[in-house]
Amino acid sequence: LAGCGTINATIKDSAGRDVMLLGHDPVAYFTLGKPMRGYPTIAATHDGKTYYFLNEEHRATFLQSPAKYEPGNRLQ
């Protein structure tokens, strides 16, 4: 999973945004313990990076404390 936080683990979406984690939901790694693809319709952009989420709850959780869920950060 560590490699998913690199700039090489981004994809461009239809809007031209760089999507982190190849579109996987960053909160799911913590709450579900496994990688899960998020939905482009449930997205958030933080510090110029876009993330996709499985649901609105995960999106809200991320927006409350983005640093906790961003790749490379291990603040738990």
Side-chain angles (χ1 to χ4, degrees), residues 12-45:
K12 292 274 188 195
D13 69 5
S14 61
R17 300 177 295 189
D18 287 321
V19 179
M20 292 295 293
L21 302 172
L22 302 174
H24 287 85
D25 180 334
V27 177
Y29 289 111
F30 295 89
T31 60
L32 302 175
K34 61 183 178 180
M36 299 287 296
R37 287 227 182 246
Y39 297 100
T41 55
I42 308 173
T45 301

